[in-house]
Amino acid sequence: MATEPPYFTEARAAGRLAITEIPKLELDAYIANYRGKTQIHRLHHIGTSSTQLYLEALKAAIAAAKRGKDVELYKTVSAALFQIVPDDPDATQDSAWITKTASEVNKETSRLELELKGYRNNLIKESIRMGCEDLGHHYHMIGDLANAVKSYSREREYVQTPAHLVNMHMHIVHVSIDQGNWLNVQSTISKIRNLQLRADEAEKLNPKLSIAMGLVNLASGNFKEAASCFLGTDPRIIGRADNPNDPEAFNEILSPNDVAVYGGLCALASMDRIELQQKVLDNASFRNYLELEPHIRRAISFFVSSKYSSCLAILKSYRADYLLDYYLWRHIDEIYFRVRSKAIVQYFIPFSSVTFEELAKAFSADEETIERTLVEMIGIGSLDARIDLEYRLLVARQVDARSELHRDALEIAEDYERTAHLRLLRMETINAGLEVKSPKSQDGILSQAGEVFGTEGSKGKGKGGIRGFFA
């Protein structure tokens, strides 16, 4: 076995991600599902996280970066390889390529800005819009995301058709996802959904909006809403990733396989067994995605059938793959904790006590992990039980049914007594003529005050004020 590079030892000591398990994914086949910069971002994440795939992933990332125009991204991935394997030939930055590419980028930027200036002078709206769009594409390609958003946003005053407006907003969504600006993604999606679009245009657009909104909810830890978004994604995008020019493909962000994985895991973390059956397994449209990742469908089926150990075993076997996912890795520990917590609660219902050893066998985990999970579950109130550390038992809280019944009966009696007392008090108040009625005149409060102080009204008739009251 090859010696682990010191980079990963230091990363593990610093609390960063360092995965030693061999993932199930085939890197070439996996990365072929994507296009654009997401390929490089995903390869960079895999290269800096996996002790098994770091060399292959980072070399592929460097090659992909050199096919583009983003000099800073190339510097980032080559620097990562230099940190891990300093003596690798690809770890040395290609100064000639950097100089040449930077020069080409500057020339192209100047050309596009000059063209846009000419279009503005000619006052042709469509030309100005296209000039802003071309400049936005250029900034996005070279990694200047802030200027890309500004360029796309400038299209707004020159847009003449709803289709152009949708394209502008979708470009902003794409750049904002690359920025990690999820608030801007959410607000832009809301703007798109408020537009009046033809039925066929909306049908083509909805899968992309569902995926983008699912990522927004996933980033915020709202797994229930994220699951709803991914489960509601139209399967029409399946099979379109093979054609890079297909306008309905969205694999510059996520692949159809990712929709299956994200939707399935978020559903497992946030839904009960009835919901999983109805909203996932019986979902005809989402079934098309589950066919791409059959292990997700098996895990959900096992959970619905109360075969928790089999479900957790599948999730455990794919944990390394999920930690290597660019968007998912931050949430895997929380998702797995929620799935395990729900399973423990359901498993523990028939028992008054159960040993840590039995729980560890039932949930494919070691006793230390089970103990930590139980402590956290009891701490947040998701499990009503106690832990006996001497005998290493999980003990259900004993409820005295007779005491519970007596307490409920006393509460009902006290409530009845209080209600009866208030009703009698009201009856006596009415009989004694002490009830204060609401005023019927337009004078409102003044009329009521006149009655109290002995006047005939608010217009000064009879004895008025306090003197009249004591007269």
Side-chain angles (χ1 to χ4, degrees), residues 115-150:
E115 283 185 358
L116 180 58
K117 185 177 180 180
Y119 296 150
R120 290 183 189 277
N121 291 334
N122 294 332
L123 300 176
I124 302 174
K125 282 191 172 183
E126 180 60 15
S127 297
I128 298 173
R129 185 195 69 78
M130 292 182 64
C132 291
E133 185 175 280
D134 291 341
L135 194 58
H137 290 338
H138 172 71
Y139 281 132
H140 191 191
M141 182 177 63
I142 66 174
D144 191 348
L145 301 181
N147 277 324
V149 172
K150 289 179 182 177

Side-chain angles (χ1 to χ4, degrees), residues 425-459:
L425 181 61
R426 176 170 173 75
M427 290 172 58
E428 293 298 328
T429 301
I430 293 172
N431 291 336
L434 298 176
E435 182 185 18
V436 178
K437 297 181 180 180
S438 58
K440 295 182 180 180
S441 67
Q442 294 182 352
D443 297 312
I445 297 174
L446 292 177
S447 176
Q448 184 177 352
E451 292 180 6
V452 173
F453 290 112
T455 63
E456 296 180 2
S458 60
K459 296 185 179 180

Side-chain angles (χ1 to χ4, degrees), residues 268 294-304 307 310-312 314-315:
L268 272 173
H295 67 279
I296 291 291
R297 179 181 53 79
R298 290 199 304 272
I300 295 173
S301 298
F302 283 137
F303 192 94
V304 170
K307 298 177 181 178
S310 299
C311 171
L312 294 174
I314 291 175
L315 296 183

Side-chain angles (χ1 to χ4, degrees), residues 229-344:
C229 292
F230 291 123
L231 295 177
T233 303
D234 194 293
R236 63 186 298 138
I237 65 170
I238 297 177
R240 296 184 179 273
D242 299 332
N243 182 5
N245 298 317
D246 193 326
E248 293 189 48
F250 205 45
N251 57 336
E252 67 271 18
I253 301 296
L254 288 187
S255 69
N257 299 66
D258 292 331
V259 175
V261 172
Y262 290 22
L265 291 179
C266 290
L268 272 173
S270 59
M271 296 181 181
D272 57 34
R273 290 187 296 165
I274 296 175
E275 287 180 305
L276 287 171
Q277 180 66 50
Q278 295 175 349
K279 297 182 179 181
V280 184
L281 297 180
D282 294 342
N283 187 331
S285 62
F286 193 70
R287 192 176 300 129
N288 295 282
Y289 289 104
L290 290 178
E291 289 175 358
L292 302 175
E293 298 288 341
H295 67 279
I296 291 291
R297 179 181 53 79
R298 290 199 304 272
I300 295 173
S301 298
F302 283 137
F303 192 94
V304 170
S305 303
S306 299
K307 298 177 181 178
Y308 304 118
S309 60
S310 299
C311 171
L312 294 174
I314 291 175
L315 296 183
K316 183 178 180 181
S317 67
Y318 280 88
R319 185 173 183 272
D321 293 60
Y322 300 152
L323 287 173
L324 295 178
D325 186 274
Y326 185 65
Y327 295 108
L328 195 59
W329 71 272
R330 294 179 179 85
H331 310 283
I332 282 300
D333 288 340
E334 177 64 20
I335 288 173
Y336 277 35
F337 171 76
R338 292 195 184 191
V339 175
R340 188 181 292 113
S341 298
K342 290 197 304 177
I344 289 175

